[in-house]
Amino acid sequence: MFRNVTAIHLHLAGVFQRKKAGTSLARCLHQTFAMAKRLPARRLDGIDHNPWVEFGKMASEYDVVNLGQGFPDFPPPDFAVQAFQLALSGDFMLNQYTRAFGYPPLTKILASFFGKLLEQEIDPLKNVLVTVGAYGALFTAFQALVDEGDEVIIIEPFFDCYEPMTLMAGGHPVFVTLKPSPTGDGELDSAGNWRLDPTELASKFTSRTKALILNTPNNPLGKVFSKAELELVASLCQQHDVICISDEVYQWLVYDGHQHVSIASLPGMWERTLTIGSAGKSFSATGWKVGWALGPDSLMKHLRTVQQNSVYHCPTQGQAAVAQSFQHEQLHFGQPSSYFVQLPQAMWRSRDHMVRSLQSVGLRPVVPQGSYFLIADISDFKSKMPDLPGDVDEPYDKRFVKWMIRNKGLAGIPVSIFYSRPHQKHFDHYVRFCFVKITSGSGL
C-alpha cells in the first residue's frame, strides 16, 4: 500500500489534518486501513437476507398480534417444566459437558422410543445424534453429505432454510412444486389437494442427485404426505441411489384422522434416510433447542464428524429434561394422558377457530392436515388493493403482510418466501399464519 516510510508519514499527516477538520480519529484510521481483501466467504453470497429477521423486526416495532412465527404462546406441559427444573437444581454434574453426540439417557430413550415406531433396532451410540435443535440437525446433515456440485431436490413450498443450507454446502437446489387441484365453488381448499406430479418428480432425478429433502407434515402448507406419495418418493430414491433427509418435526401434530408415516419405516428406506425431530415442537418448548437425527451408521458417522468439529455437543441440562419428558411419554404413549395425544386435539380446535376467523374477514384458508400453520389465499384483496406500497419487484404477499402489520396490527408471513425465486410470482397471493396460540382459540 505504501512504497516507503516517507509515504506513510505523509499519509498520516493527511489523517491528522482531517482530524483537525472535525472527523474522528477512529473514523479516519478506519477509512485509511480498511481491509482491501474480501471479507465474507463466497458461500454466503446471496443468502445474507433472512425474512424472519425482517418480519420479526417489523412485528416488534408495532403493537401486533404475532401469528407469523412458529412458536406457542402457552407453557410446555407440567412434566416437561418439572424435568427442566430438576435438571437445573438436581445433579450438579449436569452443569458440565456430556457425551459429544448426546447425553446418554437421551440417546437411549430416543433409540427405544423411535425404534418401536420405525420398527428398527436403533443403537443409541451409532444411530442417534442430538443436535442444537432440528435446525442444527439439518445444517449438520447438509454439511456432512452434500458436496460441491451435488443436486438436492427440494419440494415447494419448503421451509426456507433448505435452499441456503444446500448452497452453503456447495450443492445445487432443484425444485419440484406441489400443485393445488381445483376446488368447487364455495368449497374450502385442503392441503391434501396439493400434490406432486409423479412424472415431474421423476424428471428431477439425475446422475448428480445426492439427496431429496422431505418435510411432512409440511411447513408452511400443513400437508401430511400419504403413504402412497411416500412410496413414490422412496421408489425414486432407491432407483437413483439418493439419500432422503426427512424433516418430521411436526409428526405429532396431525388432524382429521390423518396418520403421520415416517419414510424411514418403508421397505429399503432406513438405510438411506435421516429422520430429523425436535423436542421444541414435541413438547411446546421451542427455546430449548434440542433436536436429533436418526439413521444408519453409514450416514450418521459423517454427521458426527461435523458435530465434533463445530458445536461439539448441546447443553446438558436441556438434554436431561428432554430425556425425562420422553420417558414420561413412553409410559403414556397412545393413551388419553399422553401429551402427544392431547396437543393435537387442542391444536385441532385452534386450527378450526382460525379457519373460521380468516373466512370472516374475506380470506380463503387452505385447511392444513398437520403442523403449526395454515396458509390463506388473499386473491380477493389483491384484486381490490393491487397497488400496495413496496419495491417494484416485491411480491404482493410481502407488501400485503407489511400493510397488515402497519394498519391492522396483525403479523403473518408471506408464502412466497417458501418458494424458489422463479416460482415466487406464481404463489404471491398466500399468507401463512401460525394457529398454535391461545389467542387463536386453542384452549389448551
Side-chain angles (χ1 to χ4, degrees), residues 358-376:
L358 293 173
Q359 285 182 289
S360 72
V361 295
L363 299 177
R364 288 181 284 164
V366 177
V367 180
Q369 300 167 310
S371 86
Y372 275 9
F373 308 105
L374 62 76
I375 68 173

Side-chain angles (χ1 to χ4, degrees), residues 247-259:
D247 180 353
E248 302 182 13
V249 299
Y250 300 107
Q251 73 176 99
W252 310 116
L253 289 157
V254 290
Y255 316 117
D256 304 316
H258 293 285
Q259 296 294 318

Side-chain angles (χ1 to χ4, degrees), residues 82 135 152 359 376:
Q82 290 162 9
Y135 214 89
V152 177
Q359 285 182 289

Side-chain angles (χ1 to χ4, degrees), residues 369-426:
Q369 300 167 310
S371 86
Y372 275 9
F373 308 105
L374 62 76
I375 68 173
D377 189 331
I378 58 171
S379 296
D380 291 345
F381 284 88
K382 188 176 181 180
S383 61
K384 294 173 184 175
M385 304 186 303
D387 300 318
L388 292 177
D391 297 335
V392 175
D393 297 327
E394 191 171 26
Y396 182 81
D397 56 350
K398 285 189 177 182
R399 289 182 280 139
F400 182 85
V401 168
K402 291 177 182 178
W403 171 84
M404 196 166 58
I405 290 171
R406 294 187 182 109
N407 296 279
K408 300 299 179 181
L410 180 64
I413 293 293
V415 168
S416 63
I417 72 165
F418 301 104
Y419 284 87
S420 59
R421 190 170 295 277
H423 295 160
Q424 287 182 358
K425 61 181 178 292
H426 303 301

Side-chain angles (χ1 to χ4, degrees), residues 15 72 88 97 109 121 188 245 247 301 395 421 432 439:
V15 168
L88 291 172
Y97 296 131
I109 188 64
E121 287 291 331
L188 275 179
I245 301 172
D247 180 353
K301 63 184 180 182
R421 190 170 295 277
R432 190 194 79 169
T439 51

Side-chain angles (χ1 to χ4, degrees), residues 5-6 20-21 37 51-52 109 143 237 311 322 331 344 347 427 436 440:
V5 174
T6 302
K20 290 179 182 178
K37 293 180 179 178
W52 307 108
I109 188 64
Q143 289 295 310
C237 286
V311 299
V322 174
L331 291 173
M347 293 307 101
F427 295 92
V436 184
S440 65

